[in-house]
Amino acid sequence: MVTLEHLDQSVTIHEGELTSYKVKGYEFMHQKGEPGWGNTDTEMFPVIGPTAGAEYRVQVPKGNAVLDQHGHLRELPYVLEVQEKQRAVYTKEYKAGTLVSNSKYPKRSRAPKLIWPFSFRFEKKFHLGNEGLKITFAVSGERDMPYMLGYHPAFRLRSPDARVVGGGKSTSLAEVMAAGDRALEIPETEDLVLEDEKSIGVSTRGFGNFMLWSPTSNMICVEPVTFYPYAVEQTALHEGFRYLDQPEATFEVSLIPNIKS
């Protein structure tokens, strides 16, 4: 367990997962064991969205890609590289063609093993500063590797009137829940504000889009994504790929709380 502290803020990270973000004692993050989702955050990589309808196959320029929903990065363990008072850095590495056991098999998936034909390194860096918590992702690996990236944080809700504001509209929790497991798309947007009992901004760089998901009224996921996967059929998921055309691609997510004393 890693704890970051700065001013009146505290962050807890467990094996690379953001499990708590408190400001003046106010918890913004959904907690494991509460109704809804079983996590607090995760990453979606190198694909976003379901793959079962395509028999877990994703079209790539070379080799075979067998991936479950949201990719296989979440099946790999994080390694803690740096731990300081305000900063922590975690990494994951994958070698092309390595078989990875699928934790969803057999209860929630028909794919026992996952495989990806490209090597990559994935870095997740936390920095707690004056304005809030910045999370930076860095993807490096084989040139022209196809990929999508999504960040999947879950926020605790207190008010039935909670709303997400941004992308030219104000979206109610009821609208998000009505979208179901497909999630609600907020396209071409870099910044959203979750308005609840206390508000928090989610400001991003590099993703370009959001999707919103909530299975229950006590939490909501505000997810920056490079691609909204339900824009295409599962057999055409490859249409949403970006390609690694530089040594490293970086993405930022800043959680900016608005708490008045």
Side-chain angles (χ1 to χ4, degrees):
M1 195 76 69
V2 170
T3 299
L4 310 182
E5 294 181 339
H6 182 62
L7 301 177
D8 52 10
Q9 306 172 86
S10 65
V11 164
T12 302
I13 308 160
H14 179 61
E15 296 179 347
E17 179 180 7
L18 173 65
T19 56
S20 175
Y21 179 32
K22 293 180 180 179
V23 183
K24 297 181 180 178
Y26 184 93
E27 178 64 75
F28 279 103
M29 308 310 297
H30 167 73
Q31 299 296 290
K32 294 185 179 186
E34 295 177 342
W37 189 42
N39 294 85
T40 304
D41 88 349
T42 193
E43 292 76 52
M44 301 173 282
F45 182 90
V47 298
I48 305 169
T51 58
E55 294 301 319
Y56 304 98
R57 265 65 177 176
V58 181
Q59 183 176 325
V60 293
K62 69 171 188 178
N64 295 313
V66 179
L67 298 175
D68 209 327
Q69 180 162 331
H70 299 326
H72 71 313
L73 181 74
R74 60 182 61 190
E75 301 289 0
L76 308 177
Y78 269 117
V79 175
L80 177 61
E81 303 281 359
V82 176
Q83 180 179 352
E84 299 172 353
K85 184 177 180 181
Q86 293 176 238
R87 190 171 76 103
V89 179
Y90 293 83
T91 60
K92 295 185 179 187
E93 294 198 32
Y94 176 78
K95 183 179 179 181
T98 301
L99 288 172
V100 176
S101 294
N102 184 6
S103 61
K104 293 183 178 182
Y105 177 85
K107 292 184 177 180
R108 294 181 294 142
S109 174
R110 302 187 307 276
K113 299 289 185 179
L114 310 175
I115 192 169
W116 182 243
F118 301 89
S119 297
F120 64 80
R121 182 179 187 272
F122 189 91
E123 180 183 84
K124 183 179 186 181
K125 179 168 62 178
F126 298 86
H127 182 264
L128 191 57
N130 293 344
E131 301 300 319
L133 175 63
K134 179 183 285 187
I135 305 168
T136 304
F137 303 100
V139 178
S140 57
E142 297 182 37
R143 186 172 180 83
D144 295 327
M145 178 184 74
Y147 72 94
M148 306 171 203
L149 175 62
Y151 179 48
H152 194 307
F155 298 92
R156 177 186 281 174
L157 295 179
R158 277 93 164 170
S159 171
D161 299 319
R163 307 186 70 84
V164 177
V165 179
K169 58 183 178 180
S170 177
T171 304
S172 69
L173 177 61
E175 291 175 281
V176 176
M177 294 182 70
D181 286 343
R182 291 177 64 88
L184 186 68
E185 181 186 18
I186 308 292
E188 299 179 4
T189 304
E190 292 277 16
D191 304 280
L192 294 178
V193 177
L194 173 57
E195 295 185 349
D196 191 28
E197 184 179 294
K198 306 290 185 181
S199 297
I200 188 165
V202 183
S203 180
T204 72
R205 184 179 66 81
F207 291 90
N209 311 276
F210 280 89
M211 57 187 191
L212 308 175
W213 175 71
S214 178
T216 182
S217 61
N218 65 285
M219 60 157 281
I220 187 170
C221 294
V222 180
E223 309 170 37
V225 292
T226 59
F227 176 69
Y228 178 68
Y230 298 98
V232 298
E233 297 294 330
Q234 291 185 35
T235 52
L237 202 58
H238 60 277
E239 294 179 11
F241 278 136
R242 294 183 184 182
Y243 293 86
L244 193 61
D245 58 359
Q246 53 191 319
E248 183 176 86
T250 59
F251 304 81
E252 293 180 359
V253 179
S254 294
L255 305 184
I256 307 169
N258 181 15
I259 287 191
K260 298 180 181 179
S261 57

